[in-house]
Amino acid sequence: MRQTWRWFGPKDLVSVDDMLQAGVQGVVSALHHVPTGAVWTPEEISLRQRQIATMKDGAPSGLNWEVVESLPVSEDIKKQKGDWKAHIVNWKTSLHHLRDAGIEVICYNFMPVLDWTRTDLAWRRLTGATCMRFDFTDFAAFDIHILERPGAAEDFPPEIVEAATRRFAEMDDAARQQLAGNVVFGLPGAAESFTLEDVRQHLAEYDAIREDKLRGHLIDFLAEVSPLAEELGMRLCCHPDDPPFPLLGLPRIMSTEADYAKVMEAVDIRANGITLCTGSLGARADNDPPGMMRRLGDRVHFLHLRNVTLETPEEPRGSFFEDEHLSGQTDMVAMIAAVLAEERRRKAEGRTDWEIPMRPDHGQDILDDLGRKGQPGYPAIGRLKGLAELRGIMTALDHPLVAEGAA
Ligand code: DNO
């Protein structure tokens, strides 16, 4: 596995030097300032490459930009409206420019309107560490009472609707604003940041777009871009819905293994692949990320390794929080064992893409992360700890004593 790390560019509080000290081998980044739908120019791409390649004192870092996360897919493409055809042409032009710059792995998502969603960005754990949390009742309070989406109350079980109404009544204005901010104003990496009014307008446009239609739009998009990616020797990888269930009455189509299987079959070429995010998929007890790795591993081109603890595992939708990397829903040892097996299989076939990039996804805020006001979910020390733990498992499982069963 290639140990990578997400870097948001020069504004990121975590520097290139910090990444190097965390033992990172490659960098995941994006041109967040380029508007969604526009072409990523060779100049902008090469500027970001130079920033990654240089330490604070000007010395070479030895690091390269290895994965794009994300090359955003516009709302127009998702809805097949407005400028969608021009946006697809631009997406393809960006692929050419990225390939010319030596970058082969491109992550994107097809979540309508909102990218990943949390209700609490700094939930205190007993140790004093903080983490992100999705509280189903808070989310219902937002949907029913802050966004005031017509019909919202029908989308939640009656006991959640009641609890949400009580919770909303107990919140002061500041708490209500904070909740709305956490949900819609954009978490790091989200392509857009919306006002409540924008969200209402976008939601209305999805009235006529249900699951099958949205899936059709994803497949049309992939039928256009995947053959080009294959020809250029690139790998596209779709990130799952986070959380992996419908929100705000919007269709969600990349939440389960069955969802992925449909899209992989519909455009059956290797360049059409998967970002296997154990944290996003793990927020549903009926998903099995290690099993997905075993069954769909051939198409997994990028890994996000993190863990969540489900507070109501018997429900398909519910509250969860981002736990430490080795504690929670996903058996991380089984997950890494499945990845290593896939890598061995690819190596035996002589594939050049045998080494799969992974990044320690998110981390709790601990030690000096606390109070640093970094990007939610992307602290230096919390992620470094996650990476160190994951690296320990990788090293142990790869050791001849374990690999050959002699231990
Ligand atoms: C959150 C991330 C997502 C992800 C995009 C991929 O930390 O995993 O924002 O980057 O959904 O397109």
Side-chain angles (χ1 to χ4, degrees):
M1 262 179 270
R2 186 102 184 134
Q3 298 167 38
T4 67
W5 181 276
R6 191 174 198 180
W7 191 57
F8 290 98
K11 285 192 202 137
D12 199 324
L13 281 185
V14 184
S15 65
V16 169
D17 298 38
D18 296 341
M19 286 192 261
L20 264 179
Q21 286 165 30
V24 163
Q25 298 171 316
V27 175
V28 177
S29 196
L31 302 179
H32 299 284
H33 54 286
V34 177
T36 304
V39 169
W40 286 17
T41 62
E43 295 71 31
E44 289 283 351
I45 296 168
S46 102
L47 174 61
R48 177 55 50 87
Q49 286 180 306
R50 288 197 302 278
Q51 291 160 342
I52 290 171
T54 317
M55 295 175 71
K56 273 194 197 116
D57 64 359
S61 70
L63 292 172
N64 286 318
W65 183 2
E66 298 185 2
V67 178
V68 167
E69 178 177 351
S70 291
L71 183 55
V73 177
S74 69
E75 278 294 308
D76 278 2
I77 295 178
K78 292 175 193 163
K79 293 188 288 213
Q80 295 203 347
K81 281 183 98 175
D83 290 331
W84 71 283
K85 289 194 172 147
H87 287 175
I88 293 186
V89 172
N90 289 352
W91 215 86
K92 287 169 138 177
T93 306
S94 299
L95 284 189
H96 277 287
H97 293 163
L98 287 162
R99 184 66 189 98
D100 290 344
I103 302 169
E104 295 177 0
V105 181
I106 314 292
C107 170
Y108 68 96
N109 74 70
F110 219 76
M111 283 178 253
V113 190
L114 297 181
D115 194 307
W116 57 307
T117 306
R118 297 290 182 271
T119 56
D120 198 338
L121 309 185
W123 190 58
R124 196 173 186 281
R125 307 286 298 124
L126 288 175
T127 57
T130 64
C131 70
M132 288 196 282
R133 177 161 189 252
F134 180 85
D135 182 302
F136 200 41
T137 304
D138 277 344
F139 190 79
F142 165 78
D143 194 2
I144 302 168
H145 299 289
I146 298 179
L147 187 63
E148 298 178 315
R149 181 172 64 88
E154 287 145 42
D155 282 356
F156 297 93
E159 63 282 7
I160 297 284
V161 175
E162 257 175 54
T165 303
R166 274 199 307 275
R167 178 105 26 112
F168 179 72
E170 284 159 11
M171 286 180 198
D172 59 14
D173 270 356
R176 290 172 185 175
Q177 264 176 29
Q178 174 85 54
L179 176 59
N182 293 349
V183 175
V184 292
F185 302 158
L187 282 170
E192 348 249 348
S193 168
F194 295 120
T195 63
L196 284 181
E197 203 34 54
D198 296 334
V199 173
R200 291 188 188 105
Q201 276 172 21
H202 276 287
L203 293 183
E205 292 188 44
Y206 276 93
D207 279 350
I209 306 178
R210 295 296 88 205
E211 274 75 13
D212 282 350
K213 193 154 181 198
L214 185 65
R215 185 176 293 110
H217 293 178
L218 170 58
I219 292 169
D220 290 345
F221 167 70
L222 287 170
E224 277 286 324
V225 297
S226 316
L228 174 67
E230 185 87 10
E231 184 192 314
L232 295 175
M234 300 175 88
R235 297 178 287 293
L236 309 179
C237 30
C238 190
H239 188 280
D241 302 324
D242 183 1
F245 42 78
L247 294 179
L248 306 179
L250 288 164
R252 295 278 232 187
I253 53 165
M254 293 305 260
S255 296
T256 64
E257 180 169 350
D259 288 340
Y260 271 98
K262 277 185 207 153
V263 171
M264 293 304 113
E265 271 162 36
V267 182
D268 201 7
I269 47 181
R270 194 175 282 156
N272 171 28
I274 301 170
T275 297
L276 204 159
C277 174
T278 56
S280 306
L281 292 162
R284 258 174 93 132
D286 56 355
N287 276 334
D288 167 24
M292 265 182 88
M293 187 67 216
R294 287 190 290 270
R295 291 181 286 273
L296 298 175
D298 186 52
R299 305 283 277 275
V300 172
H301 303 316
F302 186 30
L303 295 153
H304 286 181
L305 299 183
R306 81 181 154 82
N307 232 324
V308 293
T309 287
L310 307 185
E311 296 168 35
T312 50
E314 60 293 348
E315 303 290 336
R317 299 180 301 162
S319 304
F320 60 84
F321 67 89
E322 300 198 1
D323 213 326
E324 294 174 10
H325 286 75
L326 306 190
S327 315
Q329 186 63 18
T330 301
D331 177 343
M332 212 46 97
V333 176
M335 180 68 208
I336 290 174
V339 177
L340 294 175
E342 170 63 18
E343 289 191 330
R344 281 194 293 273
R345 194 187 67 79
R346 291 185 188 185
K347 221 173 176 175
E349 279 180 7
R351 271 168 66 171
T352 51
D353 67 343
W354 67 268
E355 194 176 27
I356 307 177
M358 64 72 101
R359 65 176 182 83
D361 196 16
H362 305 181
Q364 301 192 340
D365 285 279
I366 55 173
L367 312 177
D368 289 3
D369 297 330
L370 289 160
R372 209 177 168 207
K373 298 212 175 346
Q375 303 259 34
Y378 290 90
I381 303 173
R383 272 190 295 166
L384 186 160
K385 175 171 172 254
L387 177 58
E389 292 178 347
L390 296 165
R391 182 189 292 135
I393 298 178
M394 288 155 53
T395 310
L397 290 182
D398 240 356
H399 192 280
L401 275 178
V402 176
E404 289 154 22

